Amino acid sequence: MINSLRGFRDLLPPESDLFTRIEAAAREVFGLYGYQELRIPALEKKELFVKSTGDTTDIVEKEMYAFTDGGGREVAMRPEGTPGVVRAYIEHNLGQTGRNGKYFYIGGMYRAERPQAGRYREFTQIGAEHIGNPSPAADAESISMLVRLLEKAGVEGCSVELNSLGCGECRKTYREILLAFLRARAEKLCEPCRGRIERNPLRALDCKIDGPWLSAEAPKLTLCPACAEHFDTTQKYLGTAGVAYKVNTSLVRGLDYYTRTVFEVRTTALGSQDAVAAGGRYDDLVKSMGGPQAPAIGWAMGVDRVAMLLKDKPAPDTAPKTFIVAASKEAGEKAFALLTALRSAGVSSDFSSFDLSLKSQMRSADKSGASFALIIGEDELKAGTCAIKSLKTRGDQQTVPLSDAPSTLKQLLKG
Ligand code: HAM
């Protein structure tokens, strides 16, 4: 027997229903905010992620499913959606041809991390990117949309943490200050950090090993006046939108492209995998990838983690409402027509096999969770009727002409 790979899993019902519900909530919320769907490929040129996510990030250094394909091309399974959206934005000239630069995506992402509860090697993200709007109102809109989506999906008890990483200008000075701080502590740093501080000192602050003590002790970034004003105004708008948040000056994020606003939505209910969603502004990425100057803001939510938070909540009933049982091959033909008529009338319906005994079909009816069994036995076949038997209140039964069955069922299901 061949099992699935470690960190890759089958999503079985009812968990798969939870995913569908979360995605439906997201589509509804995206509609309210004017976002359109982008379906981007799962496989891209490896270079796309090296250049955008960043070659000193854990994702690119250690976690990418990258390989040389049969044609000798260096490719990678997408570890995140933002680079693909930016590539598509540039490749299809969406800045000129698109409606408003607001795009969402839903799909699997791939990272070769050490699997544990809430951390998988294939996981689903729902992501939103707003490209081309530099205003702090766009930051606040993006974050408040995320909060609305979590509420709509039924998630409770999350908190929003907010920070600003400033622009290239404020970071130029900070880089030198931070580098001096890190160099003086180089012997205390883990191997990967020691290797990358010269190339990207900021990365050390989100290192899984050294990040916590470094961000507590390291000097803090001072924002330039324009970035400080952007951060202030973002917070004012968040207040207007009624979004509760906490400023956390240690929040740096593990991807390279961020500028100014960054944020994470956290929960205390998932142990160490506490980030439910995260994102930020990336004002320089589109240009650095060969596109126009297009400031942007976005986030991605981990659907697997949201599903974990919702798994104890009562799920909507997805069982069929009716189950059709037939006593013979001939009755089976009538039963199949009845199935079709019920579904056309919007009444969900299922069956097992009309070749099996009535007893066995009734067992399947019970197992299905249906409210009513519709039985076409020999007598009913002759009379052109079917028996409607309640599976919830034992004993309740009535016989109706086959043609009346859909309307009768609709009435019964209303009551
Ligand atoms: P990220 O923080 O790498 O950001 O991932 C966003 C969310 O994806 C996390 O908060 C978490 O819920 C989920 N996630 C990440 N890794 C895993 C995993 N191994 N297993 C399960 N869930 C996971 C991004 O991906 C950025 N692209 C977000 C963004 C969009 N920034 C701007 N636009």
Side-chain angles (χ1 to χ4, degrees):
M1 127 122 217
I2 302 168
N3 292 326
S4 60
L5 289 166
R6 206 163 112 76
F8 290 71
R9 61 200 184 121
D10 301 307
L11 279 175
L12 308 177
E15 199 182 0
S16 52
D17 291 335
L18 270 180
F19 273 60
T20 310
R21 262 166 60 200
I22 298 163
E23 289 169 15
R27 286 176 190 281
E28 202 181 317
V29 171
F30 287 137
L32 286 176
Y33 287 78
Y35 276 70
Q36 292 176 290
E37 184 168 13
L38 259 192
R39 298 196 184 205
I40 45 171
L43 192 72
E44 299 263 10
K45 287 182 185 155
K46 178 181 168 187
E47 199 191 348
L48 174 69
F49 305 109
V50 175
K51 279 196 176 154
S52 50
T53 310
D55 59 355
T56 55
T57 59
D58 279 357
I59 294 177
V60 168
E61 274 192 336
K62 302 189 259 186
E63 297 167 357
M64 267 211 300
Y65 282 98
F67 55 95
T68 313
D69 77 0
R73 288 167 287 258
E74 294 291 318
V75 294
M77 298 296 291
R78 60 182 180 200
E80 54 145 344
T82 312
V85 172
V86 167
R87 180 201 45 68
Y89 181 86
I90 300 169
E91 191 169 331
H92 304 288
N93 195 20
L94 293 179
Q96 294 300 314
T97 59
R99 188 167 78 186
N100 56 10
K102 290 177 170 182
Y103 299 99
F104 77 88
Y105 52 91
I106 300 178
M109 305 293 155
Y110 303 84
R111 296 183 193 174
E113 295 190 76
R114 199 167 53 78
Q116 53 179 268
R119 195 204 280 161
Y120 307 99
R121 291 181 169 169
E122 180 186 51
F123 56 97
T124 302
Q125 277 189 349
I126 294 177
E129 314 290 354
H130 184 178
I131 305 177
N133 190 333
S135 161
D139 303 41
E141 184 196 45
S142 179
I143 298 170
S144 59
M145 177 173 73
L146 170 59
V147 170
R148 190 186 288 268
L149 164 50
L150 288 164
E151 274 168 18
K152 181 103 208 152
V155 176
E156 286 161 7
C158 286
S159 56
V160 178
E161 306 217 341
L162 189 72
N163 194 19
S164 174
L165 299 180
C167 61
E169 275 312 300
C170 15
R171 257 188 277 167
K172 228 184 252 164
T173 336
Y174 182 58
R175 189 183 187 280
E176 295 314 313
I177 299 169
L178 186 61
L179 194 55
F181 169 86
L182 292 169
R183 277 186 188 140
R185 286 156 189 81
E187 75 288 355
K188 284 211 251 164
L189 300 177
C190 69
E191 198 59 40
C193 275
R194 239 177 289 160
R196 62 191 175 191
I197 54 170
E198 299 293 330
R199 282 186 294 151
N200 191 346
L202 206 65
R203 270 294 62 84
L205 300 182
D206 67 56
C207 163
K208 286 190 180 96
I209 305 160
D210 292 322
W213 72 268
L214 279 177
S215 39
E217 289 180 25
K220 299 279 181 261
L221 172 83
T222 308
L223 296 177
C224 71
C227 287
E229 195 191 331
H230 185 98
F231 195 38
D232 268 3
T233 315
T234 299
Q235 292 181 64
K236 274 194 199 109
Y237 278 122
L238 280 175
T240 308
V243 173
Y245 63 89
K246 201 172 82 197
V247 172
N248 173 359
T249 53
S250 300
L251 183 65
V252 278
R253 306 277 300 123
L255 304 102
D256 269 359
Y257 44 69
Y258 291 115
T259 51
R260 294 191 162 174
T261 313
V262 287
F263 52 93
E264 256 178 36
V265 177
R266 294 188 178 159
T267 171
T268 49
L270 291 180
S272 55
Q273 304 314 309
D274 62 353
V276 171
R281 200 165 248 297
Y282 47 98
D283 287 346
D284 304 327
L285 182 61
V286 179
K287 182 132 198 240
S288 75
M289 297 303 287
Q293 175 58 42
I297 173 114
W299 49 258
M301 184 178 101
V303 182
D304 304 70
R305 293 186 189 171
V306 172
M308 282 171 85
L309 292 173
L310 297 178
K311 76 176 185 312
D312 296 327
K313 298 215 160 184
D317 187 8
T318 53
K321 296 291 179 224
T322 61
F323 198 96
I324 315 298
V325 171
S328 65
K329 244 202 178 94
E330 240 186 307
E333 265 175 46
K334 295 280 179 213
F336 201 76
L338 180 57
L339 267 171
T340 311
L342 283 165
R343 289 168 179 159
S344 300
V347 178
S348 59
S349 202
D350 205 359
F351 73 111
S352 56
S353 164
F354 303 134
D355 300 328
L356 294 173
S357 70
L358 271 181
K359 206 166 156 198
S360 155
Q361 291 183 57
M362 285 305 292
R363 262 201 308 273
S364 300
D366 276 326
K367 213 170 126 191
S368 76
S371 306
F372 295 96
L374 273 63
I375 307 157
I376 308 183
E378 293 306 333
D379 291 347
E380 286 84 7
L381 181 65
K382 275 188 215 132
T385 58
C386 76
I388 302 174
K389 184 174 175 317
S390 168
L391 295 172
K392 306 277 177 196
T393 49
R394 295 274 153 200
D396 281 8
Q397 190 162 325
Q398 57 175 302
T399 302
V400 298
L402 274 173
S403 55
D404 292 351
S407 54
T408 309
L409 254 306
K410 276 184 135 171
Q411 278 308 321
L412 286 170
L413 288 165
K414 253 195 224 152

